Amino acid sequence: MNQTRRFYSFRSSSTLVVFVTLVVVFSIFTPNHIFINERNIAALGKLFPDLGIIALGIGVLMICGEFDLSVGSVLPFCSFIFAQQMIADFSPFVSFFVSLLVGAILGLINGIITVKTKMPSFITTLGTLMFWRGILYVWSKMMPMSIRTFVPSGSPFQKLMAGNLNAYIPVQVIWFAIFAVILSILLHFHRFGNWIYSTGDNRDAAHAMGIRTDLVKIICFMIVGVLCGFSACMQSVRLGSFAATQGVGFEFKAISACVIGGTSLRGGIGSMTGIFLGALTIPIIDNGLILMRVPVFAISAFIGLATILFVLLNNYIERKTR
Amino acid sequence: MEYENRQNDDIVRMVNIEKWFGRVYALRGVDFHLKRGETVGLLGDNGAGKSTLIKILSGYHVADKGDIYFDGKKVVIRSPRDARRLGIETVYQEQALAPNLSISRNIFMGREPVKGFGIMDKKLMDEESMQALQNLGLRLRSPDLPVVTLSGGERQGVAIARAIHFKAKCVILDEPTVALSVKEVNEVLEFIREIQREGISSIFITHNLYHVYEIAERFVVMARGKKMTDVLKEDVTLDDLSELVIKSALVE
């Protein structure tokens, strides 16, 4: 009894329980147990980090007390810049850094608007979500652009962003793990992490203790922006092209992932372990349901349901353990 | 200047402080001083300007007019960072701690000791937090407990331990006994006595005359943005003080 209590006192433990349950359920109930088929897992490993990496950043931002809905547009915007740079004859590596830079700038803009206007970031980034998508549609004329010739299969950049470590482990999973480790060190061991938690938990106290809370928030917005830029390049290289519809719906899926990972919507509460598991859980729900022949269009309903049920579960556990 | 001559006595000296909010006068030329090692009770009704005055000292607001001398030198305090650098610590009622963070993370908030590359020295943080709390006579189970699990009195203890640990020269106690049980109030008053024993100056803002009368050595009463009274404890009884506060609020 005591041990179960201890286990549940960690916020991410309920996420772990849900995650393991889902894996078991899908493994048993998918036709021919195709869910645990290694080809399915390898395919999943190629796909989920696109969203997963962004969700890691969103988690950090949410702990800091802010949201970023604009990721759904910042991602394709960076992807467009990446493709354009290569078409303008820059090397993939240069284009990659330009894409990260653009991501950082778009994050900076979100941060500055939010901090200076003191508006909820839910509103400011809803605005930039629609704004950047509009600009992107006009600028790109919604035409897909192939980048296959610039990053052909087997080229160094392609291998780095969309290759395979071995037969089972795609390189995207490694990137996801690297970012999770970096952000985990930042949040839990670095002093900046303490500033992020303090800012999200009690902004007045953090301010009174001399922490530059505005700057902390802006940097968190920029972390999300850079991760969007990274994910944009990774996705474009995998797809071999830029498409104006990349990243649609990422904003809410990323927030769902963080909420399922036990991150509080009010800031100050959350852990990288939880966010990591949340970022794995959302794509698993997606994938498992598809394999169980649930119509694609119904999946959104399940993710919505899962998010609400999970918050309820978490609140319940919190009341029980306190 | 006469203020410069008296610098040895005073840790804080605020001269002719004025502050408007829009067209509303919050402070109209207030002089305030605090001697080394002294505890001053700052009293007054809601809206008397005592909050505004100490928020100017702690860097939340910037005065529109007037000078601040700290430790004998003229200073400009534009942010809480500036105030903290000088050694002014604030123990606010609800604003001092992050509830979901651990005790040690709260104590070192914004001043985390690092081992290199900005990585926090958690062992040192934990040890020193527990030591700081023990010096205050507060024994808590673990430095990893989130502050929200502590009682109201213990929370004030954490904030006060932080101020003492970082060798504050002036501690601002903003309503530290509000919404506490009798037992917790006594705990907090004991913590404040520890501040006095350490020789740290403090400003104790409160509505509760009984709490402040036990502890402070001098009382300043404010009303409508002005300083009305400035008396030493030996010149005033609790009843006099109570009358002074009520009268000041009613005059005009």
Side-chain angles (χ1 to χ4, degrees):
Chain A
M1 181 57 216
N2 213 350
Q3 292 218 310
T4 31
R5 270 186 89 92
R6 249 187 85 78
F7 178 68
Y8 276 113
S9 69
F10 293 103
R11 257 182 97 90
S12 41
S13 30
S14 34
T15 316
L16 185 64
V17 171
V18 170
F19 175 74
V20 171
T21 313
L22 280 175
V23 170
V24 171
V25 167
F26 286 140
S27 303
I28 296 171
F29 292 105
T30 46
N32 301 327
H33 309 300
I34 194 169
F35 180 80
I36 42 163
N37 181 304
E38 59 228 16
R39 282 188 42 208
N40 182 53
I41 290 173
L44 199 55
K46 275 193 168 312
L47 296 175
F48 91 85
D50 292 352
L51 174 69
I53 288 175
I54 293 176
L56 297 176
I58 292 286
V60 172
L61 185 64
M62 279 173 69
I63 291 174
C64 188
E66 301 292 343
F67 289 98
D68 189 350
L69 296 179
S70 72
V71 292
S73 298
V74 172
L75 174 100
F77 198 90
C78 292
S79 184
F80 177 68
I81 298 287
F82 178 61
Q84 248 205 349
Q85 293 298 307
M86 286 198 291
I87 288 168
D89 247 6
F90 287 103
S91 82
F93 287 97
V94 172
S95 315
F96 166 73
F97 284 112
V98 173
S99 162
L100 294 192
L101 184 69
V102 169
I105 292 170
L106 297 190
L108 177 69
I109 294 173
N110 279 334
I112 289 177
I113 296 175
T114 304
V115 163
K116 291 294 165 209
T117 61
K118 299 193 190 331
M119 277 197 287
S121 49
F122 204 82
I123 302 301
T124 55
T125 58
L126 180 66
T128 50
L129 170 75
M130 298 199 273
F131 182 80
W132 294 118
R133 193 161 285 278
I135 298 289
L136 178 71
Y137 282 173
V138 173
W139 196 6
S140 70
K141 303 188 180 65
M142 290 194 76
M143 296 289 280
M145 287 152 54
S146 174
I147 56 167
R148 190 69 80 199
T149 48
F150 307 109
V151 278
S153 202
S155 66
F157 194 75
Q158 192 273 340
K159 276 200 218 158
L160 199 63
M161 297 302 272
N164 292 300
L165 201 66
N166 61 36
Y168 306 112
I169 305 174
V171 74
Q172 285 99 327
V173 172
I174 306 295
W175 282 120
F176 176 68
I178 289 175
F179 283 119
V181 169
I182 293 175
L183 291 177
S184 164
I185 291 172
L186 182 77
L187 262 188
H188 300 300
F189 300 102
H190 197 275
R191 65 189 309 192
F192 189 72
N194 204 30
W195 301 353
I196 294 176
Y197 276 105
S198 316
T199 303
D201 202 13
N202 187 345
R203 194 178 177 177
D204 286 338
H207 186 62
M209 291 303 121
I211 295 171
R212 294 198 184 107
T213 54
D214 284 355
L215 189 67
V216 171
K217 290 196 172 192
I218 289 174
I219 290 174
C220 288
F221 274 108
M222 289 176 74
I223 290 174
V224 174
V226 170
L227 292 178
C228 280
F230 188 91
S231 185
C233 298
M234 211 170 69
Q235 194 177 47
S236 308
V237 171
R238 176 170 57 80
L239 298 170
S241 74
F242 153 78
T245 51
Q246 271 174 274
V248 170
F250 268 32
E251 57 281 355
F252 289 115
K253 275 190 181 175
I255 291 176
S256 299
C258 295
V259 168
I260 287 182
T263 316
S264 161
L265 293 168
R266 285 177 294 274
I269 303 177
S271 73
M272 209 13 87
T273 321
I275 297 163
F276 180 87
L277 289 171
L280 284 173
T281 304
I282 293 275
I284 278 178
I285 297 176
D286 246 335
N287 176 268
L289 291 175
I290 291 173
L291 296 177
M292 282 170 79
R293 310 268 160 84
V294 172
V296 174
F297 299 110
I299 286 170
S300 173
F302 280 95
I303 292 184
L305 207 58
T307 308
I308 294 175
L309 288 178
F310 197 83
V311 173
L312 279 176
L313 177 74
N314 241 353
N315 288 348
Y316 175 76
I317 291 171
E318 214 165 282
R319 272 204 309 275
K320 283 274 156 183
T321 47
R322 281 245 162 104
Chain B
M1 287 268 297
E2 78 174 297
Y3 310 121
E4 313 275 331
N5 297 336
R6 297 174 57 176
Q7 66 187 23
N8 287 332
D9 286 1
D10 293 336
I11 184 82
V12 173
R13 184 156 203 105
M14 300 171 82
V15 182
N16 199 20
I17 302 289
E18 293 193 11
K19 178 77 189 170
W20 302 267
F21 290 112
R23 292 166 67 188
V24 183
Y25 243 126
L27 293 176
R28 337 187 184 195
V30 176
D31 293 335
F32 178 84
H33 71 108
L34 178 67
K35 291 199 175 98
R36 281 172 208 282
E38 185 186 37
T39 305
V40 169
L42 185 55
L43 306 166
D45 203 7
N46 288 334
K50 53 191 197 308
S51 254
T52 312
L53 185 70
I54 57 121
K55 277 187 172 157
I56 286 171
L57 186 59
S58 60
Y60 259 94
H61 299 316
V62 178
D64 293 315
K65 229 182 117 191
D67 297 325
I68 303 175
Y69 298 84
F70 190 81
D71 221 351
K73 282 191 268 312
K74 189 171 172 179
V75 291
V76 179
I77 303 173
R78 299 209 161 273
S79 70
R81 285 176 75 83
D82 290 348
R84 225 183 167 198
R85 218 172 282 139
L86 291 170
I88 301 171
E89 283 277 335
T90 34
V91 178
Y92 283 120
Q93 28 188 338
E94 285 300 321
Q95 295 157 14
L97 302 170
N100 292 301
L101 287 192
S102 71
I103 293 170
S104 66
R105 275 177 171 244
N106 263 292
I107 287 186
F108 288 94
M109 190 192 288
R111 282 188 294 212
E112 301 82 359
V114 292
K115 288 190 287 193
F117 304 105
I119 303 295
M120 293 185 287
D121 191 341
K122 184 164 186 305
K123 202 166 152 254
L124 186 78
M125 281 167 64
D126 288 351
E127 283 169 5
E128 290 196 359
S129 317
M130 291 316 264
Q131 191 57 50
L133 291 169
Q134 245 167 46
N135 293 346
L136 211 56
L138 199 57
R139 273 167 216 285
L140 298 172
R141 257 186 305 136
S142 148
D144 292 325
L145 288 175
V147 163
V148 70
T149 60
L150 305 180
S151 75
E154 289 168 340
R155 280 182 225 180
Q156 297 293 10
V158 171
I160 290 170
R162 175 169 64 192
I164 296 176
H165 181 76
F166 284 102
K167 310 229 178 321
K169 291 178 180 159
C170 165
V171 176
I172 299 170
L173 301 148
D174 190 359
E175 304 267 6
T177 56
V178 82
L180 295 185
S181 70
V182 177
K183 184 169 159 275
E184 288 173 342
V185 167
N186 286 332
E187 247 177 19
V188 171
L189 294 181
E190 204 43 56
F191 298 154
I192 298 173
R193 289 203 179 90
E194 183 59 33
I195 292 180
Q196 293 175 326
R197 278 194 286 275
E198 295 276 336
I200 300 169
S201 321
S202 56
I203 306 171
F204 187 157
I205 296 114
T206 185
H207 281 100
N208 194 316
L209 297 178
Y210 297 95
H211 297 165
V212 78
Y213 193 78
E214 273 190 54
I215 281 228
E217 298 146 50
R218 184 160 59 90
F219 304 96
V220 171
V221 182
M222 290 183 68
R224 285 179 309 281
K226 282 184 187 155
K227 184 164 88 174
M228 308 300 278
T229 319
D230 191 337
V231 284
L232 291 172
K233 184 171 179 174
E234 51 255 40
D235 299 337
V236 69
T237 66
L238 184 55
D239 289 338
D240 297 341
L241 198 58
S242 157
E243 208 166 303
L244 274 172
V245 173
I246 295 167
K247 270 194 184 152
S248 325
L250 295 178
V251 196
E252 184 100 29

